[in-house]
PDB file of all heavy atoms in Angstrom:
ATOM      1  N   VAL P 126       2.169 -26.695  12.857  1.00  0.00           N
ATOM      2  CA  VAL P 126       2.422 -27.125  14.229  1.00  0.00           C
ATOM      3  C   VAL P 126       1.192 -26.894  15.096  1.00  0.00           C
ATOM      4  O   VAL P 126       0.893 -27.695  16.000  1.00  0.00           O
ATOM      5  CB  VAL P 126       3.672 -26.421  14.803  1.00  0.00           C
ATOM      6  CG1 VAL P 126       3.396 -25.001  15.250  1.00  0.00           C
ATOM      7  CG2 VAL P 126       4.266 -27.228  15.947  1.00  0.00           C
ATOM      8  N   VAL P 130      -0.802 -29.938  17.246  1.00  0.00           N
ATOM      9  CA  VAL P 130      -1.064 -29.868  18.680  1.00  0.00           C
ATOM     10  C   VAL P 130      -2.568 -29.767  18.963  1.00  0.00           C
ATOM     11  O   VAL P 130      -3.018 -30.059  20.078  1.00  0.00           O
ATOM     12  CB  VAL P 130      -0.303 -28.660  19.285  1.00  0.00           C
ATOM     13  CG1 VAL P 130      -0.626 -28.470  20.757  1.00  0.00           C
ATOM     14  CG2 VAL P 130       1.201 -28.844  19.111  1.00  0.00           C
ATOM     15  N   ALA P 132      -4.270 -26.821  18.535  1.00  0.00           N
ATOM     16  CA  ALA P 132      -4.453 -25.516  19.177  1.00  0.00           C
ATOM     17  C   ALA P 132      -5.523 -24.699  18.464  1.00  0.00           C
ATOM     18  O   ALA P 132      -5.610 -24.696  17.239  1.00  0.00           O
ATOM     19  CB  ALA P 132      -3.134 -24.754  19.169  1.00  0.00           C
ATOM     20  N   ALA P 134      -5.845 -21.343  19.569  1.00  0.00           N
ATOM     21  CA  ALA P 134      -5.328 -19.979  19.745  1.00  0.00           C
ATOM     22  C   ALA P 134      -3.824 -20.064  19.941  1.00  0.00           C
ATOM     23  O   ALA P 134      -3.305 -21.061  20.458  1.00  0.00           O
ATOM     24  CB  ALA P 134      -5.986 -19.296  20.939  1.00  0.00           C
ATOM     25  N   LEU P 135      -3.128 -19.004  19.517  1.00  0.00           N
ATOM     26  CA  LEU P 135      -1.676 -18.995  19.566  1.00  0.00           C
ATOM     27  C   LEU P 135      -1.158 -17.769  20.305  1.00  0.00           C
ATOM     28  O   LEU P 135      -1.775 -16.707  20.286  1.00  0.00           O
ATOM     29  CB  LEU P 135      -1.086 -18.958  18.142  1.00  0.00           C
ATOM     30  CG  LEU P 135      -1.510 -20.035  17.156  1.00  0.00           C
ATOM     31  CD1 LEU P 135      -0.877 -19.763  15.804  1.00  0.00           C
ATOM     32  CD2 LEU P 135      -1.132 -21.408  17.671  1.00  0.00           C
ATOM     33  N   GLY P 136       0.003 -17.941  20.935  1.00  0.00           N
ATOM     34  CA  GLY P 136       0.780 -16.811  21.427  1.00  0.00           C
ATOM     35  C   GLY P 136       2.092 -16.818  20.673  1.00  0.00           C
ATOM     36  O   GLY P 136       2.878 -17.753  20.806  1.00  0.00           O
ATOM     37  N   LEU P 137       2.325 -15.819  19.834  1.00  0.00           N
ATOM     38  CA  LEU P 137       3.521 -15.769  18.995  1.00  0.00           C
ATOM     39  C   LEU P 137       4.653 -15.074  19.744  1.00  0.00           C
ATOM     40  O   LEU P 137       4.486 -13.963  20.250  1.00  0.00           O
ATOM     41  CB  LEU P 137       3.221 -15.025  17.694  1.00  0.00           C
ATOM     42  CG  LEU P 137       2.099 -15.605  16.824  1.00  0.00           C
ATOM     43  CD1 LEU P 137       1.855 -14.713  15.610  1.00  0.00           C
ATOM     44  CD2 LEU P 137       2.445 -17.036  16.383  1.00  0.00           C
ATOM     45  N   ILE P 138       5.812 -15.722  19.806  1.00  0.00           N
ATOM     46  CA  ILE P 138       6.994 -15.167  20.472  1.00  0.00           C
ATOM     47  C   ILE P 138       8.150 -15.248  19.482  1.00  0.00           C
ATOM     48  O   ILE P 138       8.612 -16.343  19.157  1.00  0.00           O
ATOM     49  CB  ILE P 138       7.339 -15.947  21.761  1.00  0.00           C
ATOM     50  CG1 ILE P 138       6.151 -15.974  22.728  1.00  0.00           C
ATOM     51  CG2 ILE P 138       8.575 -15.349  22.422  1.00  0.00           C
ATOM     52  CD1 ILE P 138       6.363 -16.892  23.928  1.00  0.00           C
ATOM     53  N   ALA P 192      -1.679 -13.281  21.453  1.00  0.00           N
ATOM     54  CA  ALA P 192      -0.551 -12.569  22.067  1.00  0.00           C
ATOM     55  C   ALA P 192       0.573 -12.506  21.037  1.00  0.00           C
ATOM     56  O   ALA P 192       0.791 -13.457  20.297  1.00  0.00           O
ATOM     57  CB  ALA P 192      -0.073 -13.277  23.334  1.00  0.00           C
ATOM     58  N   LEU P 194       4.638 -11.241  20.979  1.00  0.00           N
ATOM     59  CA  LEU P 194       5.778 -10.734  21.743  1.00  0.00           C
ATOM     60  C   LEU P 194       7.056 -10.916  20.943  1.00  0.00           C
ATOM     61  O   LEU P 194       7.258 -11.943  20.288  1.00  0.00           O
ATOM     62  CB  LEU P 194       5.921 -11.477  23.071  1.00  0.00           C
ATOM     63  CG  LEU P 194       4.741 -11.434  24.033  1.00  0.00           C
ATOM     64  CD1 LEU P 194       3.959 -12.729  23.959  1.00  0.00           C
ATOM     65  CD2 LEU P 194       5.232 -11.213  25.453  1.00  0.00           C
ATOM     66  N   MET P 250      12.807 -15.451  28.331  1.00  0.00           N
ATOM     67  CA  MET P 250      11.816 -16.411  27.855  1.00  0.00           C
ATOM     68  C   MET P 250      10.723 -16.719  28.888  1.00  0.00           C
ATOM     69  O   MET P 250       9.533 -16.739  28.537  1.00  0.00           O
ATOM     70  CB  MET P 250      12.516 -17.697  27.404  1.00  0.00           C
ATOM     71  CG  MET P 250      11.652 -18.604  26.547  1.00  0.00           C
ATOM     72  SD  MET P 250      11.066 -17.829  25.025  1.00  0.00           S
ATOM     73  CE  MET P 250      12.615 -17.636  24.149  1.00  0.00           C
ATOM     74  N   ALA P 253       8.245 -13.978  28.821  1.00  0.00           N
ATOM     75  CA  ALA P 253       7.454 -14.000  27.584  1.00  0.00           C
ATOM     76  C   ALA P 253       6.345 -15.044  27.669  1.00  0.00           C
ATOM     77  O   ALA P 253       5.191 -14.780  27.313  1.00  0.00           O
ATOM     78  CB  ALA P 253       8.363 -14.275  26.395  1.00  0.00           C
ATOM     79  N   PHE P 254       6.673 -16.228  28.147  1.00  0.00           N
ATOM     80  CA  PHE P 254       5.652 -17.278  28.266  1.00  0.00           C
ATOM     81  C   PHE P 254       4.533 -16.851  29.209  1.00  0.00           C
ATOM     82  O   PHE P 254       3.369 -17.197  28.998  1.00  0.00           O
ATOM     83  CB  PHE P 254       6.283 -18.582  28.755  1.00  0.00           C
ATOM     84  CG  PHE P 254       6.996 -19.356  27.684  1.00  0.00           C
ATOM     85  CD1 PHE P 254       8.348 -19.650  27.813  1.00  0.00           C
ATOM     86  CD2 PHE P 254       6.329 -19.790  26.550  1.00  0.00           C
ATOM     87  CE1 PHE P 254       9.010 -20.361  26.827  1.00  0.00           C
ATOM     88  CE2 PHE P 254       6.986 -20.501  25.565  1.00  0.00           C
ATOM     89  CZ  PHE P 254       8.330 -20.789  25.703  1.00  0.00           C
ATOM     90  N   ALA P 255       4.881 -16.092  30.225  1.00  0.00           N
ATOM     91  CA  ALA P 255       3.875 -15.670  31.203  1.00  0.00           C
ATOM     92  C   ALA P 255       2.842 -14.730  30.586  1.00  0.00           C
ATOM     93  O   ALA P 255       1.744 -14.571  31.132  1.00  0.00           O
ATOM     94  CB  ALA P 255       4.555 -14.996  32.388  1.00  0.00           C
ATOM     95  N   GLN P 256       3.181 -14.102  29.446  1.00  0.00           N
ATOM     96  CA  GLN P 256       2.250 -13.185  28.793  1.00  0.00           C
ATOM     97  C   GLN P 256       1.269 -13.902  27.870  1.00  0.00           C
ATOM     98  O   GLN P 256       0.341 -13.279  27.341  1.00  0.00           O
ATOM     99  CB  GLN P 256       3.026 -12.147  27.958  1.00  0.00           C
ATOM    100  CG  GLN P 256       4.167 -11.466  28.680  1.00  0.00           C
ATOM    101  CD  GLN P 256       3.751 -10.825  29.986  1.00  0.00           C
ATOM    102  OE1 GLN P 256       2.779 -10.066  30.027  1.00  0.00           O
ATOM    103  NE2 GLN P 256       4.467 -11.140  31.064  1.00  0.00           N
ATOM    104  N   VAL P 257       1.457 -15.199  27.651  1.00  0.00           N
ATOM    105  CA  VAL P 257       0.589 -15.962  26.752  1.00  0.00           C
ATOM    106  C   VAL P 257      -0.516 -16.624  27.567  1.00  0.00           C
ATOM    107  O   VAL P 257      -0.224 -17.354  28.513  1.00  0.00           O
ATOM    108  CB  VAL P 257       1.395 -17.034  25.978  1.00  0.00           C
ATOM    109  CG1 VAL P 257       0.477 -17.853  25.077  1.00  0.00           C
ATOM    110  CG2 VAL P 257       2.508 -16.378  25.154  1.00  0.00           C
ATOM    111  N   PRO P 258      -1.789 -16.365  27.240  1.00  0.00           N
ATOM    112  CA  PRO P 258      -2.886 -16.994  27.986  1.00  0.00           C
ATOM    113  C   PRO P 258      -2.731 -18.505  28.057  1.00  0.00           C
ATOM    114  O   PRO P 258      -2.201 -19.143  27.136  1.00  0.00           O
ATOM    115  CB  PRO P 258      -4.123 -16.599  27.165  1.00  0.00           C
ATOM    116  CG  PRO P 258      -3.733 -15.323  26.481  1.00  0.00           C
ATOM    117  CD  PRO P 258      -2.276 -15.473  26.173  1.00  0.00           C
ATOM    118  N   THR P 259      -3.194 -19.076  29.151  1.00  0.00           N
ATOM    119  CA  THR P 259      -2.972 -20.509  29.383  1.00  0.00           C
ATOM    120  C   THR P 259      -3.693 -21.396  28.378  1.00  0.00           C
ATOM    121  O   THR P 259      -3.310 -22.545  28.184  1.00  0.00           O
ATOM    122  CB  THR P 259      -3.438 -20.889  30.802  1.00  0.00           C
ATOM    123  OG1 THR P 259      -4.809 -20.493  30.976  1.00  0.00           O
ATOM    124  CG2 THR P 259      -2.572 -20.199  31.849  1.00  0.00           C
ATOM    125  N   ASP P 260      -4.748 -20.866  27.729  1.00  0.00           N
ATOM    126  CA  ASP P 260      -5.468 -21.689  26.760  1.00  0.00           C
ATOM    127  C   ASP P 260      -4.931 -21.516  25.337  1.00  0.00           C
ATOM    128  O   ASP P 260      -5.534 -22.015  24.377  1.00  0.00           O
ATOM    129  CB  ASP P 260      -6.968 -21.369  26.784  1.00  0.00           C
ATOM    130  CG  ASP P 260      -7.255 -19.908  26.497  1.00  0.00           C
ATOM    131  OD1 ASP P 260      -6.307 -19.099  26.480  1.00  0.00           O
ATOM    132  OD2 ASP P 260      -8.436 -19.575  26.278  1.00  0.00           O
ATOM    133  N   ALA P 261      -3.803 -20.821  25.179  1.00  0.00           N
ATOM    134  CA  ALA P 261      -3.193 -20.616  23.868  1.00  0.00           C
ATOM    135  C   ALA P 261      -1.873 -21.367  23.785  1.00  0.00           C
ATOM    136  O   ALA P 261      -1.174 -21.553  24.790  1.00  0.00           O
ATOM    137  CB  ALA P 261      -2.960 -19.133  23.598  1.00  0.00           C
ATOM    138  N   LEU P 262      -1.521 -21.813  22.597  1.00  0.00           N
ATOM    139  CA  LEU P 262      -0.256 -22.506  22.374  1.00  0.00           C
ATOM    140  C   LEU P 262       0.852 -21.483  22.154  1.00  0.00           C
ATOM    141  O   LEU P 262       0.804 -20.716  21.187  1.00  0.00           O
ATOM    142  CB  LEU P 262      -0.361 -23.411  21.134  1.00  0.00           C
ATOM    143  CG  LEU P 262       0.954 -24.041  20.646  1.00  0.00           C
ATOM    144  CD1 LEU P 262       1.444 -25.084  21.647  1.00  0.00           C
ATOM    145  CD2 LEU P 262       0.778 -24.655  19.255  1.00  0.00           C
ATOM    146  N   PRO P 263       1.870 -21.435  23.021  1.00  0.00           N
ATOM    147  CA  PRO P 263       3.011 -20.558  22.742  1.00  0.00           C
ATOM    148  C   PRO P 263       3.813 -21.122  21.565  1.00  0.00           C
ATOM    149  O   PRO P 263       4.211 -22.289  21.584  1.00  0.00           O
ATOM    150  CB  PRO P 263       3.829 -20.606  24.031  1.00  0.00           C
ATOM    151  CG  PRO P 263       2.927 -21.210  25.073  1.00  0.00           C
ATOM    152  CD  PRO P 263       2.012 -22.115  24.325  1.00  0.00           C
ATOM    153  N   VAL P 264       4.027 -20.308  20.543  1.00  0.00           N
ATOM    154  CA  VAL P 264       4.845 -20.701  19.394  1.00  0.00           C
ATOM    155  C   VAL P 264       6.034 -19.752  19.318  1.00  0.00           C
ATOM    156  O   VAL P 264       5.875 -18.564  19.027  1.00  0.00           O
ATOM    157  CB  VAL P 264       4.050 -20.661  18.074  1.00  0.00           C
ATOM    158  CG1 VAL P 264       4.951 -21.072  16.907  1.00  0.00           C
ATOM    159  CG2 VAL P 264       2.824 -21.562  18.142  1.00  0.00           C
ATOM    160  N   VAL P 265       7.212 -20.281  19.621  1.00  0.00           N
ATOM    161  CA  VAL P 265       8.442 -19.500  19.553  1.00  0.00           C
ATOM    162  C   VAL P 265       9.012 -19.633  18.140  1.00  0.00           C
ATOM    163  O   VAL P 265       9.104 -20.739  17.603  1.00  0.00           O
ATOM    164  CB  VAL P 265       9.462 -19.993  20.586  1.00  0.00           C
ATOM    165  CG1 VAL P 265      10.763 -19.212  20.482  1.00  0.00           C
ATOM    166  CG2 VAL P 265       8.879 -19.888  21.995  1.00  0.00           C
ATOM    167  N   THR P 266       9.370 -18.512  17.531  1.00  0.00           N
ATOM    168  CA  THR P 266       9.961 -18.544  16.189  1.00  0.00           C
ATOM    169  C   THR P 266      11.362 -17.964  16.233  1.00  0.00           C
ATOM    170  O   THR P 266      11.622 -16.970  16.909  1.00  0.00           O
ATOM    171  CB  THR P 266       9.103 -17.760  15.174  1.00  0.00           C
ATOM    172  OG1 THR P 266       8.926 -16.417  15.628  1.00  0.00           O
ATOM    173  CG2 THR P 266       7.738 -18.402  15.001  1.00  0.00           C
ATOM    174  N   LEU P 286      12.650 -23.671  26.831  1.00  0.00           N
ATOM    175  CA  LEU P 286      11.415 -24.141  26.189  1.00  0.00           C
ATOM    176  C   LEU P 286      10.905 -25.409  26.867  1.00  0.00           C
ATOM    177  O   LEU P 286       9.697 -25.570  27.090  1.00  0.00           O
ATOM    178  CB  LEU P 286      11.664 -24.412  24.696  1.00  0.00           C
ATOM    179  CG  LEU P 286      12.157 -23.242  23.848  1.00  0.00           C
ATOM    180  CD1 LEU P 286      12.214 -23.656  22.375  1.00  0.00           C
ATOM    181  CD2 LEU P 286      11.266 -22.024  24.009  1.00  0.00           C
ATOM    182  N   ALA P 289       9.247 -24.566  30.157  1.00  0.00           N
ATOM    183  CA  ALA P 289       7.912 -23.985  29.981  1.00  0.00           C
ATOM    184  C   ALA P 289       6.882 -25.050  29.653  1.00  0.00           C
ATOM    185  O   ALA P 289       5.690 -24.890  29.942  1.00  0.00           O
ATOM    186  CB  ALA P 289       7.940 -22.931  28.880  1.00  0.00           C
ATOM    187  N   ALA P 290       7.342 -26.161  29.051  1.00  0.00           N
ATOM    188  CA  ALA P 290       6.419 -27.219  28.654  1.00  0.00           C
ATOM    189  C   ALA P 290       6.014 -28.121  29.805  1.00  0.00           C
ATOM    190  O   ALA P 290       5.241 -29.067  29.603  1.00  0.00           O
ATOM    191  CB  ALA P 290       7.053 -28.060  27.548  1.00  0.00           C
ATOM    192  N   ARG P 293       2.285 -27.032  29.975  1.00  0.00           N
ATOM    193  CA  ARG P 293       1.477 -27.037  28.744  1.00  0.00           C
ATOM    194  C   ARG P 293       2.395 -27.254  27.546  1.00  0.00           C
ATOM    195  O   ARG P 293       3.613 -27.129  27.640  1.00  0.00           O
ATOM    196  CB  ARG P 293       0.749 -25.706  28.582  1.00  0.00           C
ATOM    197  CG  ARG P 293       1.675 -24.488  28.543  1.00  0.00           C
ATOM    198  CD  ARG P 293       0.897 -23.222  28.242  1.00  0.00           C
ATOM    199  NE  ARG P 293       1.686 -22.022  28.489  1.00  0.00           N
ATOM    200  CZ  ARG P 293       1.239 -20.786  28.277  1.00  0.00           C
ATOM    201  NH1 ARG P 293       0.011 -20.612  27.811  1.00  0.00           N
ATOM    202  NH2 ARG P 293       1.991 -19.744  28.528  1.00  0.00           N
ATOM    203  N   ALA P 294       1.798 -27.587  26.416  1.00  0.00           N
ATOM    204  CA  ALA P 294       2.582 -27.786  25.197  1.00  0.00           C
ATOM    205  C   ALA P 294       3.188 -26.459  24.739  1.00  0.00           C
ATOM    206  O   ALA P 294       2.592 -25.392  24.893  1.00  0.00           O
ATOM    207  CB  ALA P 294       1.705 -28.368  24.093  1.00  0.00           C
ATOM    208  N   VAL P 295       4.390 -26.547  24.191  1.00  0.00           N
ATOM    209  CA  VAL P 295       5.098 -25.391  23.644  1.00  0.00           C
ATOM    210  C   VAL P 295       5.652 -25.799  22.278  1.00  0.00           C
ATOM    211  O   VAL P 295       6.162 -26.914  22.117  1.00  0.00           O
ATOM    212  CB  VAL P 295       6.257 -24.956  24.575  1.00  0.00           C
ATOM    213  CG1 VAL P 295       7.150 -23.924  23.891  1.00  0.00           C
ATOM    214  CG2 VAL P 295       5.713 -24.415  25.889  1.00  0.00           C
ATOM    215  N   ALA P 296       5.551 -24.912  21.299  1.00  0.00           N
ATOM    216  CA  ALA P 296       6.068 -25.206  19.965  1.00  0.00           C
ATOM    217  C   ALA P 296       7.202 -24.256  19.620  1.00  0.00           C
ATOM    218  O   ALA P 296       7.230 -23.108  20.052  1.00  0.00           O
ATOM    219  CB  ALA P 296       4.954 -25.098  18.928  1.00  0.00           C
ATOM    220  N   TRP P 297       8.129 -24.764  18.822  1.00  0.00           N
ATOM    221  CA  TRP P 297       9.237 -23.956  18.316  1.00  0.00           C
ATOM    222  C   TRP P 297       9.322 -24.161  16.813  1.00  0.00           C
ATOM    223  O   TRP P 297       9.439 -25.290  16.342  1.00  0.00           O
ATOM    224  CB  TRP P 297      10.535 -24.370  19.005  1.00  0.00           C
ATOM    225  CG  TRP P 297      11.794 -23.761  18.426  1.00  0.00           C
ATOM    226  CD1 TRP P 297      11.933 -22.519  17.880  1.00  0.00           C
ATOM    227  CD2 TRP P 297      13.085 -24.387  18.351  1.00  0.00           C
ATOM    228  NE1 TRP P 297      13.223 -22.323  17.467  1.00  0.00           N
ATOM    229  CE2 TRP P 297      13.957 -23.446  17.746  1.00  0.00           C
ATOM    230  CE3 TRP P 297      13.582 -25.621  18.735  1.00  0.00           C
ATOM    231  CZ2 TRP P 297      15.300 -23.731  17.513  1.00  0.00           C
ATOM    232  CZ3 TRP P 297      14.924 -25.900  18.516  1.00  0.00           C
ATOM    233  CH2 TRP P 297      15.764 -24.964  17.913  1.00  0.00           C
ATOM    234  N   VAL P 298       9.242 -23.067  16.066  1.00  0.00           N
ATOM    235  CA  VAL P 298       9.425 -23.086  14.617  1.00  0.00           C
ATOM    236  C   VAL P 298      10.750 -22.393  14.324  1.00  0.00           C
ATOM    237  O   VAL P 298      10.933 -21.227  14.664  1.00  0.00           O
ATOM    238  CB  VAL P 298       8.269 -22.364  13.891  1.00  0.00           C
ATOM    239  CG1 VAL P 298       8.567 -22.254  12.396  1.00  0.00           C
ATOM    240  CG2 VAL P 298       6.952 -23.099  14.122  1.00  0.00           C
ATOM    241  N   VAL P 326       9.436 -28.203  16.360  1.00  0.00           N
ATOM    242  CA  VAL P 326       9.638 -28.966  17.595  1.00  0.00           C
ATOM    243  C   VAL P 326       8.434 -28.727  18.493  1.00  0.00           C
ATOM    244  O   VAL P 326       8.007 -27.579  18.669  1.00  0.00           O
ATOM    245  CB  VAL P 326      10.917 -28.544  18.340  1.00  0.00           C
ATOM    246  CG1 VAL P 326      11.113 -29.391  19.594  1.00  0.00           C
ATOM    247  CG2 VAL P 326      12.139 -28.659  17.434  1.00  0.00           C
ATOM    248  N   PHE P 328       7.321 -29.444  22.379  1.00  0.00           N
ATOM    249  CA  PHE P 328       7.637 -29.877  23.738  1.00  0.00           C
ATOM    250  C   PHE P 328       6.297 -30.077  24.447  1.00  0.00           C
ATOM    251  O   PHE P 328       5.473 -29.167  24.482  1.00  0.00           O
ATOM    252  CB  PHE P 328       8.425 -28.800  24.481  1.00  0.00           C
ATOM    253  CG  PHE P 328       9.724 -28.401  23.830  1.00  0.00           C
ATOM    254  CD1 PHE P 328       9.736 -27.483  22.790  1.00  0.00           C
ATOM    255  CD2 PHE P 328      10.927 -28.918  24.283  1.00  0.00           C
ATOM    256  CE1 PHE P 328      10.928 -27.090  22.203  1.00  0.00           C
ATOM    257  CE2 PHE P 328      12.133 -28.527  23.702  1.00  0.00           C
ATOM    258  CZ  PHE P 328      12.126 -27.616  22.658  1.00  0.00           C
TER     259      PHE P 328
END
Side-chain angles (χ1 to χ4, degrees):
V126 79
V130 175
L135 305 177
L137 301 176
I138 303 172
L194 301 101
M250 196 59 67
F254 281 121
Q256 311 306 309
V257 178
T259 55
D260 58 349
L262 171 69
V264 180
V265 178
T266 56
L286 301 186
R293 58 174 167 179
V295 170
W297 171 34
V298 173
V326 182
F328 302 82

